[in-house]
Amino acid sequence: MEHVPPPAEELALLDRELAQLDARRAHLLTRRAWLVSALQPQAPNTPRWSTPPVGHGWAPGQPWGSVPRTAKPSAPRSAQNVLLTLGGLLLTVAAVAFTLVSWGSMGIGGRSAVLALVTLAALAAPAVLLRRKLAATAEALAALALVLTLLDVYAIHAVAAPDADGLTFTAAASAVLAALWAAYGLALGKLHLPLPAAVFFVQWPLLLGAWAAGAPAVVVGWALLVTAVADGAIALWGKGLGVRVTAGTGLAVTGSAALLTGLGESLTAGGPLGALLPGALLLTAAVAALAGAWRTPDGYAQVGGAMAGLAAVAAVGGVLRAAVPGTWQVPVYLLCGLALLFVVRVRLPRSAGRGVLLAAGAVVAGALVWALPPVAAVLLGPVQLVAEVWAGAPDGFRGALGASMPWSEMVAAPVVLAVVAGGLGAAFRWWPALVRVAAPLITPGAKVRGAAGAGALGLGWGTLLLAAATLGVPYPVAVALETVLVAGLLVLAVRGADRGAGGAGTAEGAGPGGGIGAALRVSALVGAVGGAVSVGLLSLASEAATYAVSGALAVLFTGAALRTRAVVEQAVLAVAAVVWGTVLTGCAARSLGLAPHEAAPLLLVVPAVTVGLGARLRRHPVALPVELTGALGALVAVGLAVGRAPFLALVLALCGVLAAGAAVRPERRPVAGHLAAVLFVTATWVRLAASEVSVPEAYTLPVTVPALVVGVLRRRKDPEASSWTAYGPGLAATLLPSLAVAWTDPDWLRPLLLGVTALVITLLGAKYRLQALLLLGGAVLALDTLHELAPYVVQVAGALPRWLPPALAGLLLLAVGATYEQRLREARRLKDVLGRMR
């Protein structure tokens, strides 16, 4: 049975252990100081010790023979805090146990006398302790007194007023406790706990009183607001960090609750008259927040200004909202938020004014969040037409977008986008005047102007598309509208790219005819590409629309690429033109009724054009993106032909021809040349497989022999030529197809001959130090041997115990780990040997 010592004995044990720890810590600190002193450079006359002193408590620079002075360890502050915390906790537990358990065994007089006596003693003791400079002990007893006053309140309610309403009694008790602890804290100013406790009790009287009286939600909101104002006053003028932090926390909680209460009542009001009382609450909160922001530091002032702006918008917008139909409520709040921008004309502190501007931005952002999902539905809705290409023109623009959005309820969304776009456009147009007006509060730079112009352009584009969807325009009109918008965006992008740095510099000036700037140019280019994708998807409903849109987009992007001089924009536009040209060839194949594998050769028309265009552009920066886009079209063609081996061989051969054509140019030869060789060889293998050829060597050896002869002649002429260039293609032409057939050949002759040939090639590579022969021959020999030994390995593995393979693997890992450095050196030597081979 475990022995548990009494609290006094356990406390003494803790004291002794803590003293030992403190002594050990002092010894280690002294030792560390000596080492630091020994490592520092010393003066010439300072004696240096060859060995550090040994012992306990030696000070730096102290002679060895001297006896260090040992100070009596004083009671550390941490031990003192532990003792006080344990003592206060024990007393608190005893008080709670007394109140809850032993209370009923005493008479009413005894109960009152005991609690009153203990509480008065706990309240009086800190005053005596403070005079004796025992502040920590006084704080602990003050905390005990706080708990005792709460127990007194509970006892009074349980005995003296058991029939009283709980909420009402708690509200009154909170007020009394707040006054008591405020007076107590002011009387004993050195205590840190009483005044924050008084601030905490201040939070409850009004709220609980209104709740107990069954007051409406607006009255509860007023109670919260009054409490928040009181908290704000205490946070501004209260003394002590604890008081201000507690009051600030209360201000954040009660103020937020008051604003949310007023907002909820305003949003649920049935009419303008019903929204007046919540509006008054919100306006009062806005005035209080602005008054507080006038007197607080910068960060808090900005938050106060933002809260004031949001509360004012909720107040005025709530009254106006109740007077308009439901679909137009968001524009009402948006207009109220934009009205906050006139704060630049009001003489407010800079931080508070910025907070109001932030509130205006938050309202505008919220309105855009509400209005942008329909725009996304307009842009992405036509994706569903991919599943039913050329099924027929739908019944109106909405029919092509699906029924995912309630368009009848979105009639106000284009208005919201138009208002914000108009505001951003006006700011972009009259930027110098706006900067002068806003100078007291903010000083926006040229990048902000570019962002405003880009936002105006994007939102204006979204406004037109969303308006067409909400109005339900006919399908041809919608297709034409989106195509025209893409053309307009391309014009803006090209003009901005042509004006370049000069145009951008003018755009930052005051004149209205300046360039659109980098941000606006990029916005126009991104919008044009995105709009092209959207209208391309939209046109899939009708064959005629698909040809018209794809052709128009190909012409528009080609013309824009030829017109602009900016490299990045030109590359993006040229790539888009190649993509739409590829789409046109795919449409032509579908119109001809070709199967996918039959359409694959037709799709190579655009890659052929890009190869010719690359030969003309040569080292122009646009050439590489154009050729890579054409290569992606060729990859699509290969994917379409995978299902039919003869067509796949044809497409691969045609792709090899295109790669060979690109390899004529020196800058493309290293990549395109090898790619052409791979494509030709792959096409040959695919063709042989499609013809069910079982002896590929009859076709590959006539290629391998002359290729090797050419390689020998090449090496004689240029001994420094790589063996991969001289012998690699010829050896691979026979070894790789033979290896592929050998893996499926049940006979033994082909694997035997292939293994012997690979062994001879490997030995020749090792003798003449030719890397291609060594690696190719060794790889083929290893794979061929593995294929032949695989059945026996499987039989042996099946006969072994199940635990043996993991054990062997573990031993192997241990062996490798034990000789890791040696294995690493051997691997590096092997790498060096292979690197020295040709």
Side-chain angles (χ1 to χ4, degrees):
M1 185 170 182
E2 185 179 359
H3 171 68
V4 178
E9 182 179 350
E10 186 176 1
L11 188 58
L13 291 174
L14 289 176
D15 288 341
R16 286 196 295 271
E17 291 185 12
L18 289 172
Q20 292 175 3
L21 290 175
D22 292 334
R24 178 62 179 166
R25 183 174 183 272
H27 166 64
L28 293 177
L29 288 175
T30 303
R31 178 72 173 175
R32 179 184 181 278
W34 189 93
L35 292 173
V36 171
S37 176
L39 291 175
Q40 290 177 350
Q42 300 181 359
N45 296 328
T46 303
R48 299 178 60 87
W49 306 103
S50 59
T51 58
V54 180
H56 173 70
W58 288 93
Q62 188 177 22
W64 289 12
S66 63
V67 179
R69 291 178 298 173
T70 305
K72 293 181 66 176
S74 59
R77 193 171 185 84
S78 58
Q80 181 187 20
N81 291 336
V82 169
L83 294 175
L84 293 174
T85 303
L86 288 175
L89 181 61
L90 290 173
L91 290 175
T92 303
V93 171
V96 173
F98 168 76
T99 304
L100 297 178
V101 178
S102 302
W103 184 262
S105 62
M106 301 178 62
I108 185 64
R111 302 170 191 172
S112 303
V114 170
L115 262 183
L117 181 62
V118 175
T119 303
L120 289 175
L123 289 172
V128 179
L129 293 172
L130 286 175
R131 284 197 297 270
R132 297 187 178 184
K133 298 182 179 181
L134 298 174
T137 309
E139 290 286 353
L141 288 179
L144 175 62
L146 176 62
V147 176
L148 288 174
T149 53
L150 294 175
L151 294 175
D152 287 336
V153 171
Y154 166 75
I156 292 172
H157 180 265
V159 176
D163 298 330
D165 179 64
L167 289 176
T168 305
F169 183 84
T170 306
S174 299
V176 173
L177 288 175
L180 171 65
W181 282 98
Y184 187 73
L186 292 175
L188 301 177
K190 294 183 179 180
L191 292 178
H192 300 292
L193 179 63
L195 289 180
V199 175
F200 172 77
F201 288 124
V202 165
Q203 313 301 314
W204 306 106
L206 292 178
L207 174 62
L208 296 179
W211 195 359
V218 175
V219 177
V220 175
W222 279 105
L224 289 168
L225 180 60
V226 173
T227 305
V229 171
D231 287 332
I234 296 172
L236 285 175
W237 295 296
K239 295 182 179 180
L241 180 62
V243 173
R244 292 195 297 270
V245 169
T246 307
T249 305
L251 170 62
V253 175
T254 56
S256 301
L259 290 176
L260 291 176
T261 302
L263 179 61
E265 292 297 306
S266 177
L267 292 175
T268 56
L273 294 178
L276 286 177
L277 289 179
L281 171 64
L282 291 170
L283 277 180
T284 306
V287 172
L290 199 58
W294 209 294
R295 296 172 176 82
T296 53
D298 290 343
Y300 298 104
Q302 194 162 335
V303 175
M307 291 296 103
L310 292 175
V313 169
V316 179
V319 176
L320 299 177
R321 176 204 64 82
V324 299
T327 55
W328 296 96
Q329 293 177 358
V330 174
V332 166
Y333 284 105
L334 175 62
L335 294 178
C336 294
L338 292 176
L340 293 178
L341 297 176
F342 289 98
V343 72
V344 296
R345 293 289 189 179
V346 181
R347 292 184 178 180
L348 285 178
R350 188 179 180 89
S351 297
R354 285 183 174 180
V356 176
L357 292 180
L358 284 176
V363 174
V364 173
L368 289 178
V369 168
W370 175 81
L372 287 178
V375 179
V378 172
L379 294 175
L380 301 178
V383 173
Q384 63 177 345
L385 298 176
V386 175
E388 299 179 358
V389 178
W390 296 353
D395 186 14
F397 190 16
R398 295 182 185 178
L401 303 178
S404 58
M405 293 295 296
W407 297 108
S408 59
E409 300 177 6
M410 293 294 173
V411 292
V415 177
V416 171
L417 295 178
V419 170
V420 179
L424 293 176
F428 179 79
R429 174 63 178 81
W430 292 287
W431 186 255
L434 177 64
V435 171
R436 287 195 299 269
V437 172
L441 296 182
I442 57 174
T443 53
K447 292 183 178 180
V448 180
R449 182 184 185 183
L457 180 63
L459 293 177
W461 172 53
T463 300
L464 294 176
L465 294 180
L466 190 55
T470 54
L471 294 175
V473 299
Y475 174 75
V477 175
V479 173
L481 174 64
E482 289 205 40
T483 307
V484 171
L485 288 177
V486 171
L489 291 173
L490 285 176
V491 171
L492 288 176
V494 170
R495 286 184 58 194
D498 288 344
R499 294 187 180 185
T506 309
E508 295 172 6
I516 63 175
L520 195 56
R521 182 171 70 247
V522 172
S523 177
L525 184 60
V526 172
V529 174
V533 174
S534 178
V535 71
L537 293 173
L538 184 64
S539 67
L540 294 177
S542 170
E543 182 177 3
T546 302
Y547 275 108
V549 169
S550 301
L553 292 177
V555 172
L556 287 173
F557 280 101
T558 301
L562 295 175
R563 176 66 177 81
T564 186
R565 296 188 301 273
V567 175
V568 176
E569 285 81 356
Q570 193 175 39
V572 173
L573 295 171
V575 166
V578 173
V579 170
W580 289 112
T582 305
V583 172
L584 273 176
T585 56
C587 293
R590 183 177 178 85
S591 297
L592 295 174
L594 300 178
H597 62 276
E598 296 173 337
L602 184 60
L603 288 180
L604 296 178
V605 172
V606 174
V609 174
T610 59
V611 170
L613 186 60
R616 181 175 179 83
L617 294 174
R618 298 191 68 80
R619 296 185 181 276
H620 193 280
V622 179
L624 182 60
V626 168
E627 291 180 83
L628 290 178
T629 308
L632 289 178
L635 187 61
V636 172
V638 171
L640 292 176
V642 166
R644 297 293 181 89
F647 278 92
L648 178 59
L650 174 62
V651 171
L652 289 173
L654 292 176
C655 291
V657 172
L658 296 178
V664 174
R665 298 155 51 198
E667 66 274 11
R668 298 285 183 264
R669 188 170 300 153
V671 176
H674 292 85
L675 180 61
V678 171
L679 288 172
F680 281 132
V681 172
T682 307
T684 303
W685 294 349
V686 172
R687 181 66 261 182
L688 293 177
S691 302
E692 299 181 355
V693 174
S694 59
V695 186
E697 292 81 3
Y699 299 90
T700 58
L701 284 176
V703 176
T704 296
V705 173
L708 292 178
V709 172
V710 171
V712 171
L713 297 177
R714 169 78 182 273
R715 290 272 298 173
R716 286 182 178 178
K717 183 178 180 181
D718 183 13
E720 297 299 323
S722 171
S723 61
W724 288 102
T725 304
Y727 307 120
L731 292 175
T734 294
L735 290 179
L736 297 182
S738 298
L739 179 64
V741 176
W743 269 67
T744 58
D745 193 346
D747 296 330
W748 58 271
L749 182 58
R750 185 191 302 276
L752 176 61
L753 294 177
L754 179 62
V756 171
T757 304
L759 177 60
V760 172
I761 294 174
T762 304
L763 295 176
L764 290 175
K767 179 179 180 180
Y768 295 104
R769 306 180 64 81
L770 297 176
Q771 191 180 98
L773 276 68
L774 179 63
L775 294 182
L776 262 178
V780 172
L781 178 61
L783 292 174
D784 185 64
T785 305
L786 176 63
H787 173 262
E788 293 303 308
L789 295 179
Y792 305 102
V793 173
V794 171
Q795 292 178 5
V796 172
L800 291 176
R802 295 297 180 90
W803 56 267
L804 189 58
L808 293 176
L811 290 175
L812 177 62
L813 291 177
L814 288 176
V816 172
T819 59
Y820 175 74
E821 294 296 334
Q822 182 180 355
R823 300 287 86 79
L824 189 60
R825 288 192 297 269
E826 292 175 355
R828 287 172 178 169
R829 267 197 304 271
L830 179 61
K831 178 183 176 182
D832 294 339
V833 170
L834 290 176
R836 287 192 295 268
M837 291 183 177
R838 299 303 303 170

